[in-house]
Amino acid sequence: PSNYLSARAITRRTNYGISIDSSDLPITPRYIDSVRLAGTVTILNTSKWLNQISIQTTDNTALAKINGFSFVLSVTGIAAKTTNNEIITPKNNKFSSEEINESITTSKTTNTQDYFSYGNTYNEIHLHNGEFLHNIGMRGQNMMVAVLDAGFYNYTSLKAFDSINANNQVLQTWDFVAREASVVEDDSHGMSCLSTIAGNIPGTFMGNAPKANFVLYRTEDAPTEYPIEEHNWACGAERADSIGADIISSSLGYTTFDNSSLDYTYANMNGNTTISAKAAKFISRKGLLAFVAMGNDGANSWKYLSTAADADSIISVGAVNTSGVIGNFSSYGPSSDGRIKPDVMAQGQSAVVATPV
């Protein structure tokens, strides 16, 4: 097992009595090699949990050959590759402007006996009695949190992340979209979400678990919306498991796409249908705890939750303000098969977050 799982990942399975099984094994390499050699084909990402790979090709002959392999169940288009002359106008507003509000809210004076000085983030920390946990020593230490998002723009140079950078608390980064290690050039949404966990500016801004270690994975291609991003998400969750993460945090969700023929319906939000929901089932089976945003469609025609928040093993998170009042944009439950969603609420309206400058 140590050939494909870290010592932390193996220990987690041991602690929870989880057996190592075939879903922990990488996809058979000769299958991937056969696909790669079928023609003009680029292998993008591989998912052992879903037994899938994503490829990029314009070679119809290669696709026909791949479809004929005895080990291939099906080939499905999940994204459109544009040329330099094409401009895609996404029909989805992925990241609500209310959920990531850059203004500073009025702060309550931190108790002088608190371990941290919270400044402007006191209200949202206090919403869950976070200061009590911090005061008794629960500050995220010895935990590994995987954040799956659209990018972590400039997190290496922003003041809010001075502590995690100085203390080498970011253990690994990977961009599943560009297939490279760097995640600082792209969208800032993941950086803002990371700040609510890891931020540390004494007297001004404090995250919920500033002593945790982190792995940062870009799985989302922010300018467009296609199911390939769900596949990337699944691959990111697998890597989080393999490296030994304890928690996955992801403020992403999927409902409709730039190509309407690929759209989901509310009936699909049953925890069993979508690419990301199928992957989400494995997260808890491997002993990880995953928190996923409900979505920002409460005031839109869709209204209901997005996937992977529909998975029954996922803790789906809705948005409230500091008074506990639901944000009008926060997506509604239940899941289409009748399960209560969201599972918990946290401040998502007028939240204090780090910004790119």
Side-chain angles (χ1 to χ4, degrees), residues 50 52 78 227-228 230-231 234 264 273-280 307:
L50 302 179
Q52 295 177 347
I78 57 172
I228 192 171
E230 289 189 84
H231 187 265
Y264 293 131
T273 300
T274 71
I275 296 172
S276 53
K278 290 175 181 178
T307 192

Side-chain angles (χ1 to χ4, degrees), residues 92-94 252-256 264-270 292-310 316-318 328-342:
N92 296 290
N93 177 17
K94 295 186 179 186
L252 300 173
Y254 305 94
T255 54
T256 56
Y264 293 131
T265 65
Y266 173 58
N268 296 140
M269 302 295 115
N270 57 17
V292 176
M294 275 287 285
N296 301 325
D297 292 312
N300 301 332
S301 57
W302 175 274
K303 181 179 177 180
Y304 291 106
L305 76 173
S306 55
T307 192
D310 61 319
S316 55
V317 185
N328 70 327
F329 62 90
S330 188
S331 292
Y332 287 77
S335 62
S336 64
D337 58 332
R339 287 172 289 112
I340 294 174
K341 292 284 185 174

Side-chain angles (χ1 to χ4, degrees), residues 28-29 54 64 95 125 130 142 152-153 157 169 182 186 216 222 239 255 261 284 295 301 305 321 330 332 336 348 354:
T28 303
S54 56
F95 309 129
I125 296 288
N142 302 318
F152 303 87
Y153 186 76
S157 57
Q169 289 169 245
S182 180
D186 302 293
L216 309 179
R239 182 174 290 211
T255 54
S261 69
S284 64
S301 57
L305 76 173
N321 62 21
S330 188
Y332 287 77
S336 64

Side-chain angles (χ1 to χ4, degrees), residues 61-75:
T61 301
L63 281 176
K65 186 173 182 180
I66 292 167
N67 249 323
F69 289 147
S70 61
F71 57 84
V72 172
L73 178 65
S74 64
V75 176

Side-chain angles (χ1 to χ4, degrees), residues 8 116 134 137-147 161 163-172 194 196-200 206-216 245-247 249:
R8 277 185 64 101
F116 291 124
H134 294 161
M138 300 179 71
R139 301 159 196 153
Q141 61 272 34
N142 302 318
M143 301 295 288
M144 188 190 297
V145 180
V147 184
F161 305 105
S163 292
I164 65 168
N165 288 319
N167 297 323
N168 297 314
Q169 289 169 245
V170 177
L171 305 181
Q172 186 182 83
L194 173 64
T196 68
I197 313 171
N200 190 349
M206 186 61 61
N208 286 274
K211 299 296 184 181
N213 291 318
F214 300 92
V215 293
L216 309 179
D246 304 289
I247 290 172
S249 177

Side-chain angles (χ1 to χ4, degrees), residues 167-323:
N167 297 323
N168 297 314
Q169 289 169 245
V170 177
L171 305 181
Q172 186 182 83
T173 61
W174 188 254
D175 184 335
F176 287 87
V177 180
R179 304 190 309 285
E180 62 185 18
S182 180
V183 295
V184 298
E185 307 89 356
D186 302 293
D187 198 86
S188 64
H189 184 263
M191 177 275 294
S192 293
C193 292
L194 173 64
S195 73
T196 68
I197 313 171
N200 190 349
I201 307 176
T204 301
F205 184 98
M206 186 61 61
N208 286 274
K211 299 296 184 181
N213 291 318
F214 300 92
V215 293
L216 309 179
Y217 298 147
R218 179 189 177 219
T219 63
E220 186 78 359
D221 191 6
T224 62
E225 189 84 329
Y226 284 100
I228 192 171
E229 294 160 272
E230 289 189 84
H231 187 265
N232 295 344
W233 191 88
C235 296
E238 290 176 23
R239 182 174 290 211
D241 165 45
S242 296
I243 198 174
D246 304 289
I247 290 172
I248 291 175
S249 177
S250 186
S251 187
L252 300 173
Y254 305 94
T255 54
T256 56
F257 300 98
D258 293 342
N259 180 342
S260 60
S261 69
L262 302 171
D263 285 357
Y264 293 131
T265 65
Y266 173 58
N268 296 140
M269 302 295 115
N270 57 17
N272 297 308
T273 300
T274 71
I275 296 172
S276 53
K278 290 175 181 178
K281 287 185 174 184
F282 282 94
I283 294 174
S284 64
R285 291 175 185 173
K286 304 303 180 184
L288 288 88
L289 193 61
F291 296 83
V292 176
M294 275 287 285
N296 301 325
D297 292 312
N300 301 332
S301 57
W302 175 274
K303 181 179 177 180
Y304 291 106
L305 76 173
S306 55
T307 192
D310 61 319
D312 61 6
S313 54
I314 289 292
I315 297 177
S316 55
V317 185
V320 296
N321 62 21
T322 51
S323 299

